[in-house]
C-alpha cells in the first residue's frame, strides 16, 4: 500500500511544495531531532535551498505583522459569553469566524448575529459539518469515540 499525502488547504502551499515533499521533510526533521516541534521545522527551513523554505515568510517586518494578526485571532477567539439561565451556566464563543460559501472574505461575527442571519447561519452550519467530518476522520482509529462519531455522521448526513 502506497501512502499519499494531501494538504487540508492546498492553496496555502501551491507552487511552494507538494504535500508528499512536505511530509517527507517533516519526517526527516522528526527523525533527526527525535520529535517534531515547530521550532525545529523553522530552523531546518532557514536555508533558501531547504525543502520547506518557501512555506515561510522570511521578511521579518511582514512576519511580525502576520504574527500580530495571529495574536488578534487568538484574542477574538478567547472571548466567551457566559449564559446564565436559571441554575444553568454555560459559555459560548462570543465571535465566530464565518467562512462564507461564496467568495466573500472571512470575518468574525457575533455568534448571536450569525445565528439569526439566514445566510450566515447556513455558512456556519456548513462549516460545523466540515469540522465534524474532519473530527471523524482524524479520530477514526479511536474506538471509544465510535458513538460520538456515529452521531456526527448522522448530523452531517454521511450515513
Amino acid at each position: 500500500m502506497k501512502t499519499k499525502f494531501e494538504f487540508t488547504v492546498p492553496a496555502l502551499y501551491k507552487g511552494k511544495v507538494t504535500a508528499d515533499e512536505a511530509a517527507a521533510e517533516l519526517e526527516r526533521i522528526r527523525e533527526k531531532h527525535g520529535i517534531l516541534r515547530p521550532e525545529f521545522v523553522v530552523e531546518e527551513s532557514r536555508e533558501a535551498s531547504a525543502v520547506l523554505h518557501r512555506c515561510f515568510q522570511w521578511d521579518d517586518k511582514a512576519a511580525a505583522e502576520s504574527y500580530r494578526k495571529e495574536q488578534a485571532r487568538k484574542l477574538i477567539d478567547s472571548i466567551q459569553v457566559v449564559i446564565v439561565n436559571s441554575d444553568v451556566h454555560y459559555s459560548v464563543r462570543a465571535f465566530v469566524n464565518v467562512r462564507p460559501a461564496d467568495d466573500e472574505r472571512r470575518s468574525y461575527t457575533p455568534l448571536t448575529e450569525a445565528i439569526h442571519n439566514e445566510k450566515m447561519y447556513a455558512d456556519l452550519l456548513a462549516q460545523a459539518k466540515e469540522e465534524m467530518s474532519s473530527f471523524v476522520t482524524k479520530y477514526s482509529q479511536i474506538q471509544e469515540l465510535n458513538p460520538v462519531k456515529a452521531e456526527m455522521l448522522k448530523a452531517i448526513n454521511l450515513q
Side-chain angles (χ1 to χ4, degrees):
M1 179 169 94
K2 185 177 179 188
T3 303
K4 182 182 183 317
F5 295 94
E6 294 178 346
F7 289 116
T8 54
V9 184
L12 289 177
Y13 305 101
K14 187 175 182 172
K16 296 177 182 176
V17 66
T18 68
D20 288 324
E21 291 167 336
E25 178 64 0
L26 292 172
E27 181 57 24
R28 183 195 70 76
I29 294 167
R30 186 188 70 79
E31 287 178 4
K32 178 180 178 180
H33 294 275
I35 58 174
L36 185 63
R37 298 182 65 181
E39 54 266 33
F40 299 152
V41 176
V42 171
E43 191 55 41
E44 294 283 334
S45 302
R46 286 191 191 283
E47 293 294 322
S49 61
V51 174
L52 301 177
H53 181 81
R54 292 174 46 184
C55 297
F56 294 92
Q57 172 57 260
W58 296 105
D59 177 289
D60 286 343
K61 185 175 179 181
E65 185 65 20
S66 179
Y67 179 69
R68 283 189 282 276
K69 288 178 184 176
E70 183 59 30
Q71 287 179 307
R73 285 183 199 95
K74 287 180 181 179
L75 173 65
I76 294 167
D77 287 342
S78 73
I79 303 297
Q80 295 188 7
V81 176
V82 178
I83 311 289
V84 180
N85 191 0
S86 300
D87 293 332
V88 179
H89 297 261
Y90 61 97
S91 299
V92 296
R93 291 183 56 184
F95 300 93
V96 291
N97 192 343
V98 179
R99 184 176 48 220
D102 53 21
D103 282 343
E104 291 181 36
R105 294 184 61 188
R106 292 176 73 136
S107 64
Y108 287 90
T109 304
L111 178 61
T112 53
E113 185 178 320
I115 288 173
H116 292 97
N117 178 298
E118 188 176 326
K119 183 182 176 319
M120 285 184 187
Y121 184 83
D123 292 338
L124 193 58
L125 180 60
Q127 188 173 327
K129 288 181 177 184
E130 184 180 303
E131 289 172 9
M132 285 190 286
S133 180
S134 292
F135 178 92
V136 169
T137 301
K138 181 176 181 179
Y139 297 110
S140 64
Q141 301 300 311
I142 301 177
Q143 294 179 4
E144 290 83 355
L145 296 177
N146 284 349
V148 173
K149 292 182 295 187
E151 289 302 315
M152 287 181 157
L153 289 170
K154 285 179 190 174
I156 57 179
N157 300 316
L158 290 180
Q159 281 189 339

